[in-house]
Amino acid sequence: MKNDVYYINYPSIFCGTDKSEIHFEKGTPDLVSVFKPGDTAENRRFFVTDATVASLPCMSEFISKFDDNVCGQDLLIVLGSGEPYKTIETVLTIIQTALEAGFTRNDTFVGIGGGVICDTTSFAASIFKRGASVQLVPTTLLAMVDASIGGKTGVDFAKYKNMIGTFFPAQKLFYFPEFIQSLSDTQYKSGLAEAIKTAILFDKELYDIFKNNPEQIKKRDKELLDVIITKSVQAKASVVEKDFTEKNIRATLNLGHTFGHAFESVAGLGAVTHGEAVAWGIGRAVCVSCNKEYCREDFKNEILELLSLYDFETSPLPSVISGGGVGDRLLSAMHKDKKNINNKVRAIIPKAVDDIVIEEIEDSEILQVLK
């Protein structure tokens, strides 16, 4: 991976910027050099991170620049970590803090963290005084290959995933792949699921990398991770540029998510990682495909085996969900999915690698793969 810049272009009529700059950086994350906190600048910066990221050794110099969360005109807030904080209350906390500190719509919000921080910071920026600019430093694999790219922002609501949000992309993103080495195994796996999803959707070469190198990838081989991140960014950027507001092709990026979001809701938000749920959902989607004779059984088995190589659950019903009527409870949650139209579940169904359909499916077809 080079220290260079990759651009994603947007239709500016829909959002606060017409272009995202993704800066790929090598070596130990050095946010002091990137942002120079405290330096006099035309625009103030409001840095938002969480307790897990703030405690990383590579963040100590940056965090130490802030005395009582202030460094010159810049401000820092450290939030709680994880899915339980992906709420409208967190967004309002960010906005209230910015408002009390006198920030304007000409200033910049900077999210430093995983998917939750990227989503909540971007959402707060998008609605603060009708839109302040946002920059992101994704610190998890999931955020690098998916969550930070393309401008989807939002929070969970009423126990359902991403029910409130906007389309509002970051002006700049700074990628330090070295952050990945500090992730827990659980969070690392979560990011792999989104990258595997991208491979199935768009990139046979990336798919083969996952098939042929499971041990190296599970050991976080840096060269392979550079390839995985770069290919995932390029694939998603290409889709987002064609369909920013998800009217057609961008919806394919939700492969595994209709089932997966239901899994997260029924299990209890935060009980499993987003990636674990998505991986399980990919397995259920390919089973629907096989039952509908859209794909061959050997393709279905290949996908399930690939997911198993990375220790993802592929059973019809997630083992972490207790109680009766699990299939019916999952189906009910799937009907709340924001992508649905006409009160039918809208699913992304893989026929083969790089061959996907978007289709409304019957409740009976869903229940068939949940037993």
Side-chain angles (χ1 to χ4, degrees), residues 40-282:
T40 302
E42 183 179 346
N43 299 331
R44 299 174 65 193
R45 280 86 52 87
F46 181 18
F47 296 97
V48 181
T49 191
D50 66 29
T52 298
V53 175
S55 67
L56 294 175
C58 64
M59 289 290 294
S60 61
E61 183 182 1
F62 179 81
I63 298 296
S64 69
K65 294 287 184 182
F66 293 83
D67 184 14
D68 289 331
N69 297 327
V70 175
C71 181
Q73 295 191 91
D74 296 331
L75 186 66
L76 170 71
I77 186 173
V78 179
L79 303 171
S81 304
E83 195 74 23
Y85 292 92
K86 193 177 181 183
T87 65
I88 192 65
E89 288 78 18
T90 295
V91 171
L92 294 177
T93 295
I94 295 170
I95 289 173
Q96 181 175 356
T97 304
L99 189 63
E100 291 175 352
F103 276 76
T104 75
R105 64 193 297 176
N106 295 322
D107 296 322
T108 300
F109 288 53
V110 183
I112 307 167
V116 172
I117 286 293
C118 290
D119 282 4
T120 54
T121 304
S122 297
F123 185 30
S126 74
I127 60 176
F128 180 73
K129 300 185 177 181
R130 297 202 173 104
S133 66
V134 63
Q135 299 180 13
L136 298 174
V137 183
T139 62
T140 65
L141 180 59
L142 186 146
M144 291 180 196
V145 301
D146 187 72
S148 67
I149 310 167
K152 277 189 179 180
T153 83
V155 295
D156 306 332
F157 185 73
K159 299 183 180 180
Y160 296 105
K161 287 283 290 184
N162 300 329
M163 286 291 111
I164 306 173
T166 58
F167 289 95
F168 198 81
Q171 288 184 338
K172 293 182 181 180
L173 302 97
F174 298 91
Y175 278 40
F176 291 91
E178 194 66 27
F179 271 121
I180 295 169
Q181 303 303 321
S182 67
L183 294 177
S184 68
D185 289 342
T186 301
Q187 288 300 324
Y188 178 60
K189 265 184 62 180
S190 185
L192 288 179
E194 287 285 7
I196 290 170
K197 174 207 75 177
T198 300
I200 295 169
L201 287 171
F202 305 119
D203 195 323
K204 181 63 165 61
E205 182 180 338
L206 182 56
Y207 179 78
D208 287 340
I209 287 172
F210 277 110
K211 275 181 59 178
N212 298 328
N213 303 279
E215 293 309 313
Q216 296 97 308
I217 290 172
K218 286 196 284 187
K219 290 178 180 177
R220 312 190 195 194
D221 180 275
K222 293 182 180 182
E223 290 186 6
L224 283 174
L225 282 173
D226 280 355
V227 174
I228 289 168
I229 294 168
T230 301
K231 280 183 160 292
S232 297
V233 169
Q234 291 172 343
K236 184 164 184 180
S238 176
V239 171
V240 168
E241 288 182 336
K242 295 172 185 173
D243 180 26
F244 178 64
T245 53
E246 200 175 278
K247 300 301 183 185
N248 43 74
I249 188 175
R250 184 170 182 175
T252 61
L253 292 167
N254 292 300
L255 172 63
H257 285 62
T258 304
F259 283 97
H261 283 170
F263 178 5
E264 290 182 83
S265 294
V266 174
L269 295 177
V272 296
T273 67
H274 178 64
E276 288 175 301
V278 166
W280 175 81
I282 291 171

Side-chain angles (χ1 to χ4, degrees), residues 278-337:
V278 166
W280 175 81
I282 291 171
R284 295 306 88 208
V286 76
C287 286
V288 170
S289 181
C290 187
N291 287 348
K292 292 172 75 69
E293 298 184 350
Y294 286 176
C295 76
R296 295 171 51 168
E297 188 164 357
D298 58 356
F299 177 70
K300 177 195 80 172
N301 291 336
E302 183 177 288
I303 294 295
L304 295 177
E305 288 169 9
L306 176 64
L307 295 171
S308 295
L309 279 176
Y310 291 91
D311 305 316
F312 290 115
E313 182 165 12
T314 59
S315 58
L317 293 175
S319 58
V320 302
I321 300 178
S322 59
V326 175
D328 289 332
R329 288 154 61 193
L330 289 165
L331 175 62
S332 176
M334 289 174 72
H335 272 282
K336 300 292 194 302
D337 194 278

